[in-house]
Amino acid sequence: MDARFLGIPQLTETPSAAVVVDVMRAFTVAAWAFARGAEKIVLAESLDEVLALKARRPDWVALKDGPPAPGFDAVNSPALLRSADLGGRTVVQKTTAGTVGALAVKDAPLVLCAGFVVAEATATLLRARGCGSVTFVVTGEDGRADEDLACAQYIARRATGAPADAADATDAAGFLRRAAASRAAAELAEGVREGAHPDDVALCLELDRFPFAMVAALEDSHMVLRPFDVSSAAEGTPAGPSSR
């Protein structure tokens, strides 16, 4: 597999397959939303779009980066979302980097959104699809965020190898250490970023916490993210909400 690792500003053409990586915290949050029962996540281009969608569909869950704000139901924190009841709900998500990265490759034939919590499932789907060329979108810090790059490189490594076994735990440890030492992890741990919880970093570094991948595709002009059961990857069957 030919893997490229690009920041959002470096995306000059539509890739054949894209894995958009945001470890801290957009796509860790998305995975937790699915684990808590969400049916789908609409990736919004702006906070105004989130509020407009929420106004039309009051039952939808509006989620944003930063501190709580009027009109929004949740913030971009996996720890603050892990006890939410989202059964059958639609979440509308807007974040600083993750959703921007996904929208930047919205015309790609295959778009996966990922973090460490769905790393192996993401790699499994890439292997099942036989992707010869994959662009990993490193969303944080214009492509320099080491937590996102470490996760992207780990998924690329897994996508070209055999299914994970006990020996791979040691291999994964180095990538997780890089993420734990990243600027984003430090800012979360030190309380620099608003709308965070002390458990966020640990939750973002839970390797393979969930058994599903997350596939984004255009639906009625919106980029919509859904969980994908990798055991049905060959058949292309969407997954239901799932958790360990």
Side-chain angles (χ1 to χ4, degrees):
M1 185 184 77
D2 176 28
R4 297 193 303 163
F5 304 92
L6 302 177
I8 296 171
Q10 298 170 302
L11 295 168
T12 58
E13 57 187 33
T14 301
S16 57
V19 178
V20 187
V21 181
D22 189 325
V23 172
M24 297 183 190
R25 294 162 283 168
F27 297 138
T28 301
V29 166
W32 271 100
F34 291 131
R36 298 304 302 162
E39 178 185 353
K40 64 182 179 181
I41 298 174
V42 177
L43 304 177
E45 293 189 4
S46 67
L47 296 179
D48 286 343
E49 182 184 6
V50 176
L51 292 175
L53 290 169
K54 174 75 175 179
R56 294 199 295 270
R57 297 293 301 268
D59 57 317
W60 284 13
V61 178
L63 187 153
K64 65 180 282 293
D65 260 343
F72 290 86
D73 306 294
V75 294
N76 194 43
S77 163
L80 294 174
L81 198 69
R82 61 184 164 181
S83 60
D85 180 5
L86 299 176
R89 306 283 296 278
T90 293
V91 175
V92 187
Q93 184 183 34
K94 169 67 176 84
T95 69
T96 305
T99 59
V100 176
L103 290 167
V105 292
K106 63 183 180 181
D107 294 322
L110 176 65
V111 178
L112 308 182
C113 295
F116 280 110
V117 292
V118 294
E120 186 63 27
T122 304
T124 297
L125 185 52
L126 290 173
R127 290 196 301 267
R129 292 292 178 88
C131 296
S133 176
V134 179
T135 295
F136 289 85
V137 183
V138 180
T139 61
E141 301 175 37
D142 290 336
R144 297 185 300 274
D146 203 35
E147 75 280 4
D148 293 339
L149 180 58
C151 183
Q153 290 171 337
Y154 178 72
I155 293 172
R157 185 183 181 99
R158 296 296 319 128
T160 57
D165 56 30
D168 290 308
T170 302
D171 179 62
F175 294 95
L176 291 168
R177 280 195 298 270
R178 284 172 54 193
S182 68
R183 174 182 172 182
E187 290 181 351
L188 287 171
E190 294 166 6
V192 173
R193 300 190 181 189
E194 296 183 279
H197 185 280
D199 292 343
D200 279 350
V201 173
L203 292 177
C204 290
L205 299 180
E206 282 192 315
L207 184 65
D208 302 331
R209 176 67 176 81
F210 303 111
F212 51 81
M214 299 187 294
V215 180
L218 288 169
E219 298 182 18
D220 298 326
S221 77
H222 294 297
M223 194 66 165
V224 176
L225 187 64
R226 295 181 184 272
F228 192 100
D229 180 359
V230 294
S231 67
S232 304
E235 294 76 26
T237 303
S242 178
S243 173
R244 280 187 191 168

